[in-house]
Amino acid sequence: MKIQTPWIWLVVVLTICLTALFYVSQKPQVAVYSQYVKSLCDYQFADASLMRSMERVRSGYEVDSAVVLAQMMTLREVALSFDAGIQKLEQTGFSTPPASSVSHFKSSVLAKVSCLHRYLSERSAWIDELENVYRLMEMGPSDVDLALVRKLDSARAGYAVLPDGLVLPEAFNKRVETLFQKNLDLFDAWNQFNNDKTLSASDELLHFFQMENVKEISLSAKIPLAFYFLSLVLLLATFFFIFKSKQ
Protein backbone atom coordinates (compact mmCIF):
# COMPACT_ATOMS: atom_id res chain seq x y z
CA MET A 1 0.00 0.00 0.00
CA LYS A 2 1.36 3.39 -0.93
CA ILE A 3 2.05 5.78 1.95
CA GLN A 4 0.04 8.95 1.71
CA THR A 5 2.10 12.15 1.64
CA PRO A 6 0.34 13.84 4.62
CA TRP A 7 1.67 11.16 6.96
CA ILE A 8 5.21 11.81 5.84
CA TRP A 9 4.75 15.53 6.39
CA LEU A 10 3.32 14.86 9.85
CA VAL A 11 6.49 13.03 10.87
CA VAL A 12 8.66 15.79 9.39
CA VAL A 13 6.71 18.56 11.16
CA LEU A 14 6.81 16.73 14.49
CA THR A 15 10.56 16.23 14.14
CA ILE A 16 11.05 19.92 13.40
CA CYS A 17 8.90 20.90 16.40
CA LEU A 18 10.89 18.65 18.71
CA THR A 19 14.14 20.09 17.40
CA ALA A 20 12.84 23.62 17.95
CA LEU A 21 11.75 22.77 21.49
CA PHE A 22 15.15 21.30 22.25
CA TYR A 23 16.83 24.44 20.90
CA VAL A 24 14.62 26.74 22.98
CA SER A 25 15.20 24.68 26.11
CA GLN A 26 18.97 25.07 25.70
CA LYS A 27 18.93 28.87 25.57
CA PRO A 28 20.17 30.24 28.93
CA GLN A 29 17.63 33.04 29.33
CA VAL A 30 16.86 32.24 32.96
CA ALA A 31 20.53 32.18 33.94
CA VAL A 32 21.25 35.41 32.04
CA TYR A 33 18.28 37.30 33.46
CA SER A 34 19.06 36.02 36.96
CA GLN A 35 22.60 37.33 36.57
CA TYR A 36 21.30 40.81 35.79
CA VAL A 37 18.88 40.66 38.71
CA LYS A 38 21.79 39.81 41.00
CA SER A 39 23.93 42.55 39.46
CA LEU A 40 21.28 45.20 40.10
CA CYS A 41 20.68 43.96 43.65
CA ASP A 42 24.43 44.14 44.28
CA TYR A 43 24.41 47.69 42.91
CA GLN A 44 21.67 48.75 45.30
CA PHE A 45 23.55 47.23 48.23
CA ALA A 46 26.76 49.01 47.16
CA ASP A 47 24.87 52.29 46.77
CA ALA A 48 23.41 52.01 50.28
CA SER A 49 26.83 51.15 51.70
CA LEU A 50 28.42 54.15 49.99
CA MET A 51 25.75 56.52 51.29
CA ARG A 52 26.37 55.28 54.84
CA SER A 53 30.04 56.12 54.36
CA MET A 54 29.12 59.54 52.98
CA GLU A 55 26.95 60.20 56.02
CA ARG A 56 30.07 59.73 58.13
CA VAL A 57 31.99 62.06 55.83
CA ARG A 58 29.23 64.63 56.13
CA SER A 59 29.30 64.52 59.94
CA GLY A 60 33.07 64.72 60.14
CA TYR A 61 33.73 61.23 61.45
CA GLU A 62 37.06 59.69 60.59
CA VAL A 63 36.65 57.80 57.33
CA ASP A 64 39.23 56.18 55.08
CA SER A 65 38.95 58.24 51.90
CA ALA A 66 40.52 55.45 49.86
CA VAL A 67 37.71 53.09 50.86
CA VAL A 68 35.05 55.66 49.97
CA LEU A 69 36.69 56.33 46.60
CA ALA A 70 36.80 52.59 45.93
CA GLN A 71 33.07 52.38 46.67
CA MET A 72 32.45 55.21 44.20
CA MET A 73 34.48 53.48 41.51
CA THR A 74 32.49 50.29 42.10
CA LEU A 75 29.25 52.12 41.30
CA ARG A 76 30.81 53.69 38.24
CA GLU A 77 32.09 50.36 36.93
CA VAL A 78 28.70 48.73 37.50
CA ALA A 79 26.96 51.43 35.45
CA LEU A 80 29.44 51.20 32.58
CA SER A 81 29.57 47.40 32.49
CA PHE A 82 25.78 47.20 32.72
CA ASP A 83 25.37 49.47 29.70
CA ALA A 84 27.91 47.45 27.69
CA GLY A 85 26.30 44.18 28.78
CA ILE A 86 22.85 45.29 27.65
CA GLN A 87 24.21 46.13 24.20
CA LYS A 88 25.71 42.63 23.87
CA LEU A 89 22.51 41.10 25.20
CA GLU A 90 20.48 42.88 22.54
CA GLN A 91 22.82 41.66 19.80
CA THR A 92 22.34 38.04 20.89
CA GLY A 93 18.56 38.27 20.63
CA PHE A 94 17.61 38.45 24.30
CA SER A 95 14.85 40.72 25.57
CA THR A 96 16.31 43.96 26.90
CA PRO A 97 14.87 46.95 28.75
CA PRO A 98 14.21 50.18 26.82
CA ALA A 99 17.37 51.97 25.77
CA SER A 100 16.10 55.13 27.48
CA SER A 101 15.91 53.32 30.83
CA VAL A 102 19.44 51.96 30.49
CA SER A 103 20.78 55.35 29.42
CA HIS A 104 18.99 57.07 32.31
CA PHE A 105 20.45 54.61 34.80
CA LYS A 106 23.96 55.03 33.44
CA SER A 107 23.84 58.84 33.34
CA SER A 108 22.27 59.05 36.81
CA VAL A 109 24.95 56.86 38.36
CA LEU A 110 27.82 58.67 36.64
CA ALA A 111 26.43 62.06 37.67
CA LYS A 112 25.99 60.87 41.25
CA VAL A 113 29.53 59.51 41.45
CA SER A 114 30.88 62.80 40.11
CA CYS A 115 28.95 64.77 42.75
CA LEU A 116 30.02 62.38 45.50
CA HIS A 117 33.68 62.68 44.53
CA ARG A 118 33.53 66.47 44.61
CA TYR A 119 31.59 66.48 47.88
CA LEU A 120 34.09 64.15 49.56
CA SER A 121 36.97 66.46 48.72
CA GLU A 122 35.22 69.70 49.66
CA ARG A 123 33.59 68.39 52.83
CA SER A 124 36.87 66.96 54.09
CA ALA A 125 38.53 70.34 53.55
CA TRP A 126 35.61 72.04 55.30
CA ILE A 127 35.92 69.75 58.33
CA ASP A 128 39.65 70.51 58.53
CA GLU A 129 38.95 74.24 58.48
CA LEU A 130 36.27 73.82 61.14
CA GLU A 131 38.77 72.04 63.40
CA ASN A 132 41.17 74.96 62.92
CA VAL A 133 38.44 77.41 63.95
CA TYR A 134 37.64 75.30 67.01
CA ARG A 135 41.30 75.47 68.05
CA LEU A 136 41.36 79.24 67.57
CA MET A 137 38.26 79.54 69.71
CA GLU A 138 39.88 77.46 72.45
CA MET A 139 42.97 79.66 72.44
CA GLY A 140 40.94 82.87 72.26
CA PRO A 141 38.85 84.69 74.86
CA SER A 142 36.81 82.53 77.21
CA ASP A 143 33.63 84.51 76.54
CA VAL A 144 33.01 82.98 73.10
CA ASP A 145 29.33 83.04 72.25
CA LEU A 146 27.90 79.57 73.00
CA ALA A 147 25.29 80.14 70.30
CA LEU A 148 28.15 80.28 67.80
CA VAL A 149 29.49 76.95 69.03
CA ARG A 150 26.05 75.36 68.76
CA LYS A 151 25.59 76.66 65.22
CA LEU A 152 29.01 75.41 64.19
CA ASP A 153 28.13 72.01 65.65
CA SER A 154 24.87 72.04 63.68
CA ALA A 155 26.78 72.94 60.52
CA ARG A 156 29.16 70.05 61.19
CA ALA A 157 26.15 67.73 61.40
CA GLY A 158 25.18 68.87 57.91
CA TYR A 159 22.37 71.29 58.69
CA ALA A 160 21.96 74.55 56.79
CA VAL A 161 22.56 77.30 59.36
CA LEU A 162 23.36 81.00 59.13
CA PRO A 163 25.34 83.16 61.56
CA ASP A 164 22.44 85.60 61.92
CA GLY A 165 22.44 87.42 65.24
CA LEU A 166 25.76 85.97 66.35
CA VAL A 167 28.66 87.91 67.75
CA LEU A 168 31.64 86.68 65.77
CA PRO A 169 35.15 87.06 67.19
CA GLU A 170 37.00 89.74 65.26
CA ALA A 171 40.14 87.60 65.08
CA PHE A 172 38.55 85.05 62.78
CA ASN A 173 35.10 86.33 61.85
CA LYS A 174 35.85 86.09 58.12
CA ARG A 175 36.84 82.46 58.47
CA VAL A 176 33.65 81.68 60.38
CA GLU A 177 31.48 83.46 57.82
CA THR A 178 33.23 81.55 55.05
CA LEU A 179 32.59 78.30 56.92
CA PHE A 180 28.88 78.97 57.19
CA GLN A 181 28.60 79.98 53.53
CA LYS A 182 30.54 76.95 52.36
CA ASN A 183 28.35 74.72 54.51
CA LEU A 184 25.28 76.08 52.72
CA ASP A 185 26.89 75.23 49.39
CA LEU A 186 27.69 71.73 50.62
CA PHE A 187 24.15 71.36 51.95
CA ASP A 188 22.81 72.06 48.45
CA ALA A 189 25.36 69.68 46.94
CA TRP A 190 24.31 66.94 49.36
CA ASN A 191 20.69 67.25 48.31
CA GLN A 192 21.68 66.80 44.67
CA PHE A 193 22.69 63.18 45.22
CA ASN A 194 20.99 62.24 48.49
CA ASN A 195 17.82 61.10 46.74
CA ASP A 196 16.27 58.05 45.12
CA LYS A 197 17.03 58.90 41.49
CA THR A 198 19.56 56.14 40.90
CA LEU A 199 17.66 53.66 43.04
CA SER A 200 14.45 54.37 41.11
CA ALA A 201 16.31 53.88 37.83
CA SER A 202 17.79 50.59 39.05
CA ASP A 203 14.40 49.47 40.39
CA GLU A 204 12.87 49.97 36.96
CA LEU A 205 15.54 47.79 35.35
CA LEU A 206 15.34 45.26 38.17
CA HIS A 207 11.59 44.93 37.69
CA PHE A 208 12.08 44.32 33.96
CA PHE A 209 14.56 41.48 34.46
CA GLN A 210 12.51 39.95 37.26
CA MET A 211 9.45 39.83 35.01
CA GLU A 212 11.47 38.36 32.14
CA ASN A 213 12.85 35.80 34.54
CA VAL A 214 9.35 34.81 35.64
CA LYS A 215 8.25 34.47 32.01
CA GLU A 216 11.20 32.25 31.14
CA ILE A 217 10.72 30.07 34.21
CA SER A 218 7.05 29.65 33.31
CA LEU A 219 7.97 28.79 29.72
CA SER A 220 10.68 26.38 30.84
CA ALA A 221 8.14 24.54 32.96
CA LYS A 222 5.88 24.03 29.92
CA ILE A 223 8.58 22.86 27.51
CA PRO A 224 8.98 19.34 28.98
CA LEU A 225 5.22 18.75 28.77
CA ALA A 226 5.14 19.85 25.14
CA PHE A 227 8.25 17.78 24.43
CA TYR A 228 6.72 14.62 25.93
CA PHE A 229 3.44 15.16 24.08
CA LEU A 230 5.10 15.69 20.70
CA SER A 231 7.43 12.74 21.30
CA LEU A 232 4.44 10.52 21.97
CA VAL A 233 2.66 11.76 18.84
CA LEU A 234 5.84 11.25 16.79
CA LEU A 235 6.23 7.74 18.15
CA LEU A 236 2.65 6.85 17.28
CA ALA A 237 2.99 8.43 13.84
CA THR A 238 6.19 6.47 13.23
CA PHE A 239 4.55 3.20 14.23
CA PHE A 240 1.61 3.99 11.98
CA PHE A 241 4.02 4.87 9.16
CA ILE A 242 5.85 1.53 9.58
CA PHE A 243 2.58 -0.37 9.84
CA LYS A 244 1.22 1.18 6.64
CA SER A 245 4.48 0.61 4.77
CA LYS A 246 4.24 -3.16 5.41
CA GLN A 247 0.77 -3.43 4.01
Side-chain angles (χ1 to χ4, degrees), residues 151-191:
K151 285 207 171 187
L152 286 174
D153 289 342
S154 296
R156 179 178 187 137
Y159 295 103
V161 292
L162 292 171
D164 296 338
L166 295 178
V167 178
L168 302 179
E170 293 184 3
F172 47 88
N173 61 341
K174 291 295 184 182
R175 298 179 71 172
V176 173
E177 288 178 355
T178 302
L179 271 178
F180 280 116
Q181 183 56 51
K182 185 62 178 178
N183 180 64
L184 290 177
D185 296 338
L186 290 172
F187 177 81
D188 292 336
W190 176 265
N191 290 331

Side-chain angles (χ1 to χ4, degrees), residues 221-236:
K222 295 176 181 177
I223 287 178
L225 297 177
F227 192 87
Y228 296 146
F229 174 75
L230 290 176
S231 297
L232 179 60
V233 174
L234 178 61
L235 181 62
L236 293 175

Side-chain angles (χ1 to χ4, degrees), residues 179-242:
L179 271 178
F180 280 116
Q181 183 56 51
K182 185 62 178 178
N183 180 64
L184 290 177
D185 296 338
L186 290 172
F187 177 81
D188 292 336
W190 176 265
N191 290 331
Q192 289 181 10
F193 58 77
N194 185 34
N195 51 55
D196 296 331
K197 287 183 179 179
T198 56
L199 288 179
S200 297
S202 64
D203 276 336
E204 182 179 347
L205 296 172
L206 181 60
H207 177 72
F208 172 86
F209 284 110
Q210 286 175 332
M211 294 305 298
E212 290 298 320
N213 213 12
V214 170
K215 291 178 184 177
E216 291 300 328
I217 291 174
S218 177
L219 178 62
S220 298
K222 295 176 181 177
I223 287 178
L225 297 177
F227 192 87
Y228 296 146
F229 174 75
L230 290 176
S231 297
L232 179 60
V233 174
L234 178 61
L235 181 62
L236 293 175
T238 303
F239 283 150
F240 184 81
F241 183 85
I242 295 173

